[in-house]
Amino acid sequence: MAGVAERAGLAKGTAFLYFRTKESLFLALATERLDAWFADLDAGLEAEPGCDPRRLARLVCGTVERHPGLTRLLERACPFLAAAAGGPGGAVLLLRVHALAVGIAQLADPPPVVAAVLAEPGMEVFRVDPGPMLEETLVSLLSGLEQLRTRSGP
């Protein structure tokens, strides 16, 4: 927080008036960057509706490139993500998180025939509560990435 306050030209105590912890500052920055990224994605999708896979892939990659601050923020918060350090990079993490969220959402909202089967006794293990599942899966992904980084060294 002292470094942030210094770069912003504020006293350290003043910075704490706005953000009580480093975590709250990080979350505010991450939220701001994610909002900007999603707004860019929304604008691109509205400009050219439809779901051509190649166009969608270019759009996602282009928006990630136009918002490098978001991926740098993730990589600073979690150094094991930094591509320069042998990690997958913040952009890759965002894409993996998106893939997880989409897949888990589909599992949580199955077609009626599948939902009927899942309602039967003994099928509880296959029922998906999306929030906890996404969180647990992200913890596993991040923990695994951190362990890989730790094993391979800096």
Side-chain angles (χ1 to χ4, degrees), residues 56-137:
L56 186 56
R58 277 195 301 268
L59 174 65
V60 170
C61 292
T63 58
V64 167
E65 288 175 10
R66 287 192 297 276
H67 296 273
L70 176 59
T71 57
R72 281 195 308 270
L73 182 63
L74 289 170
E75 290 170 2
R76 283 190 187 138
C78 304
F80 60 88
L81 293 176
V92 172
L93 176 66
L94 288 174
L95 295 174
R96 288 178 180 174
V97 169
H98 175 70
L100 286 172
V102 169
I104 289 170
Q106 289 179 351
L107 289 172
D109 187 24
V113 172
V114 176
V117 171
L118 293 176
E120 294 179 11
M123 299 302 289
E124 297 83 9
V125 71
F126 297 106
R127 295 182 201 140
V128 173
D129 186 355
M133 179 176 257
L134 180 59
E135 183 176 340
E136 291 167 17
T137 306

Side-chain angles (χ1 to χ4, degrees), residues 38-65:
F38 286 129
D40 196 4
L41 276 173
D42 285 345
L45 291 169
E46 286 178 14
E48 293 184 48
C51 192
D52 172 58
R54 195 162 302 283
R55 185 191 66 76
L56 186 56
R58 277 195 301 268
L59 174 65
V60 170
C61 292
T63 58
V64 167
E65 288 175 10

